[in-house]
Amino acid sequence: MRTNKSTVITILGATGSIGSNTLDVIARHPEQFSLFAVTAQSKVTEMLAICKQHKPRYAVMGSEAAASKLRSELQAFSLGTEVLVGEKELVAVSEASDVDVVMAAIVGAAGLLPTLAAVRAGKRVLLANKEALVMSGQLFIDAVRSANAQLLPVDSEHNAIFQALPQAVQQDSISTSFQEHGIRKILLTGSGGPFLETPLAEIASQTPAAACAHPNWLMGAKISVDSATMLNKGLEYIEARWLFNCNADQLDVILHPQSVIHSMVQYIDGSVIAQLGQPDMRTPIAYCLGYPERLASGVADLDFTEVGAFTFAKPEAERYPLLQLAIDACWQGQAATTTLNAANEEAVAAFLSEQIGFGEIAEICTETLQKANISPLNDIEAVLNCDAEARRIARKHIQRGR
């Protein structure tokens, strides 16, 4: 995207790990990128630091209280960033005509509407919010096609797959025909999380601190818990289905504890093309920001003499019941994946606040899917209603268990 003018960016979820790493990459290329807007739910101190360093035109907060506090802080430092508040403004800074690129990094269902707004406005959307595709699937992909938006995957696994695809497929991955391009299947790798070798009998009683202690990646609490259950890999499986237009026979999950091979593409001639690198999100972020060129990301080179052995295994169903639940939901339909995502968000929040045990996350998701009305979803309003109903069912289960 290197042009004579700088590329103008909005970062949705600027204070999270993806947002912070995006800011780090942008700061390495000040002549190439400028910041239009940053958003956060409530982290005023972090947003103030971002505004002081990067001087965005707008900062959007999730509540009026947080917005008021940030305004006051900005005035004290005579910074010119305008502070906005609420979902309507999230959408506005995503679809603004001045913006070229939107980094969609808001975690969870809250990221759906602003990400969809960026797509409908025809932006280059760097997708780190997997829930957008998990919740709205075909509707989201149809919007990408209709608006001629460009969708680039930021998740390390999907970014690795994208890099391993032929250039012709990269140009229209959401309409890929594997057969036409000699592709047999996608191999989606996952570390197995912190409980890969924990005795099965001890997993249900694990604490939030233990679940968030990922062996390789530094992530937020919610994503870390999802990695521990491998529901995160299940959501990535669903996302990959839509990003690469593949069927159940063309998509596998394989454990790779070292997190060096980020994913692979297997071809019909026996070749397997893999993307390798340090477990550092600045690599896929820089790839998406610079595509089709490559940018310096600040990530250290991979030294193969120090990496050690690579190991691989199939995920155990007993250890990771949520992974299979997500795979089944993927092919059951949109309502199933929307329901699973909503139930999991409620269950993980309850686990992190110590209202339920680790083992109950899978129970709540399973029961919610069993009780929900799994029927076709034909518009975004239906998706949001399905999400709300799933949360009601999950909360009822959580309250019953207290």
Side-chain angles (χ1 to χ4, degrees):
M1 287 189 67
R2 199 162 293 171
T3 63
N4 291 329
K5 74 178 189 68
S6 64
T7 298
V8 181
I9 299 177
T10 283
I11 302 177
L12 302 173
T15 60
S17 61
I18 296 295
S20 298
N21 280 312
T22 302
L23 289 165
D24 181 273
V25 174
I26 289 172
R28 296 171 188 276
H29 304 275
E31 75 292 342
Q32 193 167 341
F33 302 104
S34 61
L35 205 54
F36 181 80
V38 290
T39 83
Q41 179 61 29
S42 58
K43 294 181 178 179
V44 173
T45 300
E46 290 87 341
M47 282 289 271
L48 177 62
I50 290 170
C51 292
K52 289 169 68 176
Q53 179 179 355
H54 299 278
K55 299 176 175 58
R57 196 180 311 177
Y58 299 103
V60 184
M61 302 301 293
S63 69
E64 185 56 54
S68 295
K69 186 174 181 181
L70 180 60
R71 286 190 194 101
S72 177
E73 296 281 359
L74 288 171
Q75 288 175 356
F77 287 94
S78 300
L79 296 175
T81 300
E82 182 178 349
V83 181
L84 309 172
V85 62
E87 185 176 81
K88 182 178 178 181
E89 300 298 349
L90 283 176
V91 169
V93 298
S94 300
E95 64 186 12
S97 60
D98 289 349
V99 173
D100 302 307
V101 173
V102 174
M103 169 59 79
I106 295 176
V107 175
L112 173 60
L113 292 181
T115 303
L116 193 56
V119 165
R120 287 171 171 165
K123 307 299 183 186
R124 170 179 281 195
V125 178
L126 313 188
L127 189 65
N129 171 274
K130 60 179 60 65
E131 291 82 5
L133 275 173
V134 170
M135 289 179 66
S136 63
Q138 190 65 61
L139 294 169
F140 191 94
I141 294 300
D142 288 346
V144 172
R145 291 193 181 108
S146 177
N148 198 30
Q150 186 177 30
L151 193 62
L152 296 179
V154 174
D155 274 353
S156 61
E157 296 82 1
H158 302 102
N159 189 269
I161 293 162
F162 188 86
Q163 292 195 46
L165 291 171
Q167 188 176 30
V169 177
Q170 290 181 345
Q171 300 305 313
D172 190 18
S173 66
I174 62 175
S175 301
T176 295
S177 169
F178 278 22
Q179 291 81 2
E180 289 180 12
H181 295 278
I183 301 166
R184 189 176 301 284
K185 66 170 56 178
I186 285 169
L187 301 174
L188 192 65
T189 61
S191 70
F195 305 144
L196 176 62
E197 298 181 355
T198 302
L200 289 175
E202 299 177 11
I203 290 178
S205 60
Q206 294 297 315
T207 65
C212 290
H214 196 283
N216 302 331
W217 295 94
L218 180 61
M219 305 179 292
K222 195 269 183 183
I223 297 177
S224 295
V225 174
D226 284 349
S227 180
T229 65
M230 277 200 79
L231 189 277
N232 194 50
K233 199 57 52 182
L235 299 181
E236 289 172 2
Y237 180 100
I238 297 165
E239 188 180 7
R241 176 258 177 107
W242 294 111
L243 281 171
F244 306 112
N245 192 38
C246 49
N247 60 42
D249 294 330
Q250 298 168 332
L251 187 55
D252 280 346
V253 174
I254 184 170
L255 294 182
H256 170 53
Q258 293 78 27
S259 297
V260 174
I261 297 176
H262 298 305
S263 276
M264 300 172 274
V265 176
Q266 193 167 48
Y267 289 83
I268 60 173
D269 63 359
S271 298
V272 178
I273 298 180
Q275 187 268 339
L276 288 72
Q278 301 282 5
D280 191 317
M281 286 306 299
R282 289 177 297 174
T283 295
I285 289 167
Y287 182 84
C288 290
L289 284 170
Y291 182 81
E293 300 177 26
R294 291 185 184 266
L295 300 175
S297 65
V299 177
D301 291 342
L302 188 63
D303 185 343
F304 283 92
T305 65
E306 297 181 357
V307 167
F310 291 164
T311 59
F312 305 92
K314 291 183 178 181
E316 297 176 74
E318 286 184 301
R319 188 175 299 275
Y320 306 113
L322 275 170
L323 174 60
Q324 189 59 52
L325 197 66
I327 291 172
D328 292 342
C330 179
W331 308 109
Q332 189 177 356
Q334 190 62 68
T337 59
T338 301
T339 296
L340 174 59
N341 180 71
N344 180 67
E345 286 190 15
E346 293 296 326
V348 170
F351 169 66
L352 288 170
S353 62
E354 300 184 341
Q355 298 177 58
I356 64 170
F358 184 79
E360 291 177 90
I361 298 173
E363 294 175 13
I364 290 167
C365 291
T366 301
E367 180 179 283
T368 303
L369 275 167
Q370 290 171 345
K371 292 186 175 181
N373 176 24
I374 306 300
S375 57
L377 306 178
N378 298 317
D379 54 40
I380 292 299
E381 183 179 1
V383 168
L384 296 177
N385 288 338
C386 177
D387 176 87
E389 175 63 10
R391 291 176 190 277
R392 185 193 65 79
I393 296 171
R395 288 169 185 160
K396 187 174 182 180
H397 183 119
I398 292 166
Q399 291 296 323
R400 187 171 69 240
R402 294 179 67 180

